[in-house]
Amino acid sequence: MPRAVSAALPSSTHWRGIGVGAMLTVVVAVGAWWFWPGTPLVPETAALARELLDTGGTADRQALRRVMTNVDRMTREQITQLWRSVGEEWRRLRQQAVDRYFLAPAVEKPRLLDDEIARLAALRDLTIALHPDANSDQPPRLPQEILRSPDRAREPADPTARRAEADRRAVIKRYEEALAAHAKSRGVRLPQIR
């Protein structure tokens, strides 16, 4: 006796089960990939941030997307650790820029100030990328990890150290004034960062 045609073809329930199984497999694979502890996010993201600050200027959009993706996957403690790392790097680069500026001959100073303006633009883009809920239309807000140096947490007790700290702040203020004057003379607005 010939078999019925309907018995030879798999039922729609069979295909639905295969589809649901395939979708569950994809969801589990994506979840495992997303939460897999692969590369440590903080060191990788800090390295990307260092690279963005070192190059200055218009930030690499692909690197910024990678930073944002990593920040979205981080815990609050990891984000704080990342901000500390970026803050240390920013303070190091800023101090190098100040030192170079005051040691450079007068003909090199405009180029050094241009480099700093480019670095500030990169810092603005990086700050927006590091804030999961940042609004790119508003000036980004720097957390205290960037603004406050660990050595400035309290005023030094030693009068010599206090004088050295006051001198350091005066030098930085002169540098910032020179930077603002240079930007104004070029008709460039310094990136707004709060």
Side-chain angles (χ1 to χ4, degrees), residues 16 23-24 39 47 58 66 68 78-79 84 90 95 105 107 115 134 138 159 162 191:
R16 202 172 309 140
M23 289 178 70
L24 282 174
T39 59
T58 303
R66 181 72 181 169
M68 285 187 271
Q78 288 174 318
I79 292 173
R84 283 190 187 118
W90 173 252
Q95 189 60 51
V107 295
D115 292 347
Q138 297 291 323
R162 272 198 306 264

Side-chain angles (χ1 to χ4, degrees), residues 64-137:
L64 285 174
R65 275 194 299 278
R66 181 72 181 169
V67 166
M68 285 187 271
T69 301
N70 287 355
V71 167
D72 286 344
R73 295 171 56 193
M74 287 182 188
T75 64
R76 181 82 55 205
E77 293 82 24
Q78 288 174 318
I79 292 173
T80 301
Q81 184 181 2
L82 175 63
W83 273 113
R84 283 190 187 118
S85 175
V86 170
E88 289 170 9
E89 180 66 14
W90 173 252
R91 284 188 300 277
R92 183 186 68 77
L93 289 171
R94 184 64 177 230
Q95 189 60 51
Q96 283 179 352
V98 169
D99 294 343
R100 265 194 310 265
Y101 177 79
F102 287 110
L103 294 174
V107 295
E108 287 185 32
K109 288 185 178 191
R111 182 189 56 80
L112 293 173
L113 293 173
D114 287 337
D115 292 347
E116 185 67 10
I117 291 170
R119 191 173 295 111
L120 283 170
L123 178 64
R124 182 188 187 286
D125 292 342
L126 179 62
T127 303
I128 291 171
L130 289 173
H131 273 290
D133 52 343
N135 180 354
S136 61
D137 295 332

Side-chain angles (χ1 to χ4, degrees), residues 14-51:
H14 175 75
W15 286 110
R16 202 172 309 140
I18 290 174
V20 168
M23 289 178 70
L24 282 174
T25 303
V26 168
V27 167
V28 168
V30 167
W33 173 80
W34 185 262
F35 293 108
W36 191 261
T39 59
L41 293 176
V42 173
E44 176 190 342
T45 310
L48 284 168
R50 251 189 316 280
E51 183 180 319

